[in-house]
Amino acid sequence: MSRYDRIDTKLVHAGEPRPRIGGAVTVPIFQTSTFEQDSDTPYDDIRYARLSNTPNHDVLHAKLAALEGGEAALVTSSGMAAISTTLLALLRPGDHLIAQRCLYGGTHDLVTKDLADLGIEHSFVDGDDVEQWARALRPTTRAFYCESLTNPLLEVADLPSIVGFCQSHGLVSVIDNTFTSPVCFRPLEHGFDVVLHSATKYLGGHSDVVAGAVVGRSDVVEHVRQKLNHLGACLEPFGCFLLHRGLKTLALRVRHQSGTASTLAHFLSKHEAIATVYHPSLATHPQQARARALFDAMGGVLSFTLKDTSVPVERFIRKLDLPVYAPSLGGVESLITRPARSSHAGLSAKAREELGISDGLIRLSVGLEAASDLMMDLHQALDPSEDERTT
Ligand SMILES: *Cc1c(COP(=O)(O)O)cnc(C)c1O
């Protein structure tokens, strides 16, 4: 299989059992908690669903490792399970973590509350400010945590410099690759040690499964796997099946969504009712050159603000026909949300303002609808003369 290095082929074929199980073209769901053992089965070879070693887990692990170019992978019961289990495997009380500012809300709370309760310290830094990283460094610093594209402003940190910084200071570099997916960006190819995913988003891709993934070197993934066995956040067999099924179309979906997101970003940036648009495909994006150098596609999420701040954002969102007003991203249906009310609701208004997340900011996760239909829908919802429209 390693002969075929295109991601489209890997999505379909990598990790699939040969010979196929019972001749089945797709891997059947092994809806069983435990498996028969022989009298001489070594303890480590016992198959049990919590140990993430059923055939449904095995195929996903091999496929995800191939997609990200890692030695090994592990699936978990959610993206937060991947993140918390990995950080708990890497960090001990007294250790220190450097983390990019503006993390996913759940990760931010994990670091500032749960890890802090355990005596694991942290410093938040700007993803672009190398000198700030050096000032944050302590003798106890163990790891650097960042995201490939930040939520909701779609910023791209100086990822190559983060890798270099970690290598020169003996830190583990950890990156949440949820927003880009391996179709747009493969951090391990750029020297990152550990890649994390909320597979709930693009990897699953159909808004019907909550799952997570960890990919990296075998020794690191094995360490996380042991922690996961103890903490128990395994992905159950039906979740494995849904994730496996969703993954096969990842490249088609993400390329299409990235293309539509770029089209909509350009359309919105020229629209008179729009103040600012955030998407790495735009010339106005501060790290467009970096995104182009690192990413194969720019991702399917964009954010924007309305020019007229007296227009209630809720009214605009309610006027849209197609995007579903819901948190999350990466599904086949477009999803629209207000980060100040969802992913970043836990932060104080002041903290949000410092991060540049205004109350009026709108985030759109582009689905698989026709770009022209999404454009038509945005156009009618932005048209003030339509405000009296009855629905
Ligand atoms: C959604 C998300 C998570 C958390 O994933 P869950 O599957 O909801 O636990 C983590 N990181 C990012 C970037 C996300 O978008």
Side-chain angles (χ1 to χ4, degrees):
M1 260 320 126
S2 52
R3 217 161 5 134
Y4 306 106
D5 65 354
R6 304 300 300 227
I7 197 163
D8 310 68
T9 309
K10 289 182 186 177
L11 284 164
V12 178
H13 291 289
E16 299 293 323
R18 298 285 180 93
R20 297 175 203 285
I21 301 168
V25 171
T26 61
V27 178
I29 306 169
F30 285 79
Q31 195 64 48
T32 179
S33 57
T34 189
F35 291 72
E36 208 170 19
Q37 65 180 100
D38 298 329
S39 49
D40 52 358
T41 304
Y43 176 74
D44 285 342
D45 292 342
I46 287 175
R47 283 187 185 256
Y48 181 65
R50 179 171 44 78
L51 304 180
S52 305
N53 58 7
T54 75
N56 294 111
H57 292 95
D58 291 347
V59 60
L60 272 178
H61 293 164
K63 198 182 290 287
L64 286 165
L67 298 177
E68 287 284 7
E71 287 174 4
L74 176 70
V75 289
T76 60
S77 60
S78 68
M80 282 313 302
I83 294 164
S84 58
T85 308
T86 299
L87 291 179
L88 287 169
L90 295 175
L91 303 168
R92 308 233 165 309
D95 284 352
H96 174 249
L97 173 74
I98 298 180
Q100 185 183 2
R101 191 167 289 144
C102 204
L103 294 178
Y104 173 74
T107 311
H108 178 272
D109 290 354
L110 173 80
V111 168
T112 56
K113 297 185 176 128
D114 306 279
L115 296 186
D117 283 349
L118 294 172
I120 296 165
E121 302 182 314
H122 63 271
S123 304
F124 286 121
V125 296
D126 186 304
D128 254 341
D129 190 344
V130 185
E131 285 169 17
Q132 208 182 47
W133 312 344
R135 285 198 300 275
L137 197 66
R138 303 180 192 171
T140 52
T141 308
R142 295 284 170 260
F144 195 128
Y145 189 101
C146 63
E147 296 178 356
S148 53
L149 262 181
T150 65
N151 173 28
L153 298 179
L154 293 321
E155 289 167 346
V156 188
D158 188 352
L159 303 172
S161 296
I162 291 178
V163 170
F165 181 81
C166 290
Q167 286 171 349
S168 43
H169 297 286
L171 311 182
V172 183
S173 49
V174 185
I175 184 165
D176 180 334
N177 198 30
T178 300
F179 268 57
T180 24
S181 91
V183 175
C184 301
F185 181 51
R186 291 161 305 282
L188 300 176
E189 289 176 0
H190 297 266
F192 275 94
D193 295 310
V194 185
V195 173
L196 303 175
H197 278 281
S198 168
T200 312
K201 317 293 170 52
Y202 287 104
L203 300 187
H206 294 72
S207 307
D208 56 8
V209 63
V210 174
V214 182
V215 195
R217 273 204 326 270
S218 312
D219 59 328
V220 179
V221 174
E222 177 55 26
H223 186 181
V224 178
R225 197 176 72 83
Q226 284 171 14
K227 189 64 84 179
L228 188 76
N229 290 350
H230 300 161
L231 295 178
C234 60
L235 185 60
E236 43 77 48
F238 188 60
C240 290
F241 168 80
L242 286 175
L243 176 53
H244 185 190
R245 182 182 156 108
L247 266 177
K248 293 172 191 172
T249 54
L250 179 71
L252 288 176
R253 288 186 283 105
V254 169
R255 282 189 205 120
H256 189 93
Q257 288 160 325
S258 294
T260 307
S262 302
T263 303
L264 296 181
H266 284 86
F267 162 75
L268 288 171
S269 65
K270 292 197 198 93
H271 197 288
E272 57 185 15
I274 298 294
T276 321
V277 185
Y278 304 87
H279 191 258
S281 67
L282 296 173
T284 50
H285 188 284
Q287 297 102 26
Q288 190 200 30
R290 185 182 289 157
R292 280 203 178 145
L294 293 171
F295 301 164
D296 294 339
M298 297 302 169
V301 177
L302 62 125
S303 295
F304 55 96
T305 53
L306 304 180
K307 202 174 274 172
D308 183 354
T309 49
S310 69
V311 176
V313 175
E314 297 287 325
R315 190 168 74 196
F316 161 70
I317 293 178
R318 297 284 172 203
K319 275 175 74 182
L320 288 165
D321 288 322
L322 297 176
V324 184
Y325 190 10
S328 197
L329 58 126
V332 296
E333 57 292 290
S334 292
L335 297 172
I336 198 157
T337 177
R338 295 177 64 188
R341 296 285 173 86
S342 54
S343 55
H344 293 73
L347 270 61
S348 67
K350 184 166 172 290
R352 277 198 300 270
E353 195 187 298
E354 279 168 15
L355 295 171
I357 302 168
S358 66
D359 273 4
L361 188 72
I362 299 161
R363 189 189 78 189
L364 178 63
S365 163
V366 176
L368 293 180
E369 302 91 343
S372 53
D373 284 342
L374 287 169
M375 225 183 300
M376 194 159 65
D377 192 21
L378 287 165
H379 183 76
Q380 65 78 19
L382 288 168
D383 184 352
S385 67
E386 296 252 332
D387 270 3
E388 301 313 315
R389 193 179 68 129
T390 47
T391 47

